[in-house]
Amino acid sequence: ETGVTQTPRHLVMGMTNKKSLKCEQHLGHNAMYWYKQSAKKPLELMFVYSLEERVENNSVPSRFSPECPNSSHLFLHLHTLQPEDSALYLCASSPVLPGREQYFGPGTRLTVT
Amino acid sequence: DQQVKQNSPSLSVQEGRISILNCDYTNSMFDYFLWYKKYPAEGPTFLISISSIKDKNEDGRFTVFLNKSAKHLSLHIVPSQPGDSAVYFCAASGKGGGGADGLTFGKGTHLIIQP
């Protein structure tokens, strides 16, 4: 596999469910990111990890919980989400910080019912 | 408050002609600018970038122009090809932008190349 992969590609969950989004990068990069893209809005940065340490948290609600067990994997744990959290969630990586040219995965389309 | 603005949600250009996509920004702390291209069901892919110390960067059919005094950048694609049909995102980086290490994106412009 090459580049940045994300699973699942589509997810439908109820407001009381707990689910996780997974991202894996095969580029040997040291920084990873979570972005959210809601309808008719620009991509919004959620979290930044560098060498498995969180360096940024852009005022994201606690119902979103990131985890970076190693420099190749990034998770976004979801619990008690709201319908307005329905969006495309994109993972990205970059060789180092600051992440100028970032490489994106295909995204997970999340629908909260 | 949107710091990176792409005011044209869509743009239609005839094949072979020049496509010009525009982007404005408000934060003077931005010092690096990028264009990404996105096809449906795929993540954005990096296209071209420019540092604030330059006013032009060219890569094949793609040229990005930066006007710092106007806080404006543009992407020129010439000649336009059918495969260029995609959504194009302008992004910016720098202290005080989307965080120290992230990117601040515009909403995107959907470019449609007509045969």
Side-chain angles (χ1 to χ4, degrees), chain A residues 9 35 42 45 56 100-102 105, chain B residues 32 36 41 43 49 93 98-99:
Chain A
R9 295 292 309 273
Y35 287 86
L45 179 67
E56 186 130 357
R100 297 291 168 94
E101 284 98 21
Q102 297 181 11
Chain B
Y32 199 81
Y36 280 81
S49 62
S93 172

Side-chain angles (χ1 to χ4, degrees), chain B:
Chain B
D1 180 34
Q2 242 187 296
Q3 299 185 70
V4 176
K5 299 177 185 177
Q6 293 177 258
N7 292 319
S8 298
S10 66
L11 175 67
S12 184
V13 174
Q14 204 166 7
E15 182 180 356
R17 303 272 187 163
I18 184 170
S19 295
I20 301 176
L21 294 97
N22 293 302
C23 178
D24 297 292
Y25 61 96
T26 58
N27 193 331
S28 56
M29 299 296 284
F30 288 142
D31 61 1
Y32 199 81
F33 303 89
L34 308 93
W35 285 94
Y36 280 81
K37 176 179 178 180
K38 185 180 186 301
Y39 292 118
E42 294 183 14
T45 56
F46 169 73
L47 195 57
I48 192 169
S49 62
I50 187 167
S51 165
S52 60
I53 63 173
K54 295 185 174 182
D55 54 18
K56 177 183 174 181
N57 188 25
E58 191 172 350
D59 183 3
R61 295 186 298 115
F62 303 92
T63 303
V64 56
F65 295 92
L66 176 63
N67 182 335
K68 287 188 292 294
S69 60
K71 293 192 175 69
H72 177 84
L73 64 154
S74 61
L75 174 68
H76 292 213
I77 307 172
V78 55
S80 301
Q81 298 174 355
D84 297 329
S85 294
V87 178
Y88 289 79
F89 292 98
C90 173
S93 172
K95 296 292 182 182
D101 305 302
L103 296 173
T104 302
F105 283 85
K107 288 186 180 181
T109 296
H110 186 192
L111 176 64
I112 301 161
I113 304 302
Q114 305 277 9

Side-chain angles (χ1 to χ4, degrees), chain A residues 21-50:
Chain A
L21 309 184
K22 179 183 176 183
C23 174
E24 186 171 359
Q25 59 98 357
H26 308 270
L27 301 167
H29 290 170
N30 288 323
M32 296 186 78
Y33 312 78
W34 279 117
Y35 287 86
K36 174 184 177 182
Q37 186 178 25
S38 304
K40 301 195 188 303
K41 286 188 172 183
L43 277 78
E44 301 169 64
L45 179 67
M46 299 175 74
F47 300 104
V48 180
Y49 275 83
S50 175

Side-chain angles (χ1 to χ4, degrees), chain A residues 4 10 19 24 26-28 46 72 76 79-80 87 92 96 99 105:
Chain A
V4 181
H10 299 271
K19 296 286 184 184
E24 186 171 359
H26 308 270
L27 301 167
M46 299 175 74
S72 298
L76 188 62
H79 63 99
T80 58
V96 292

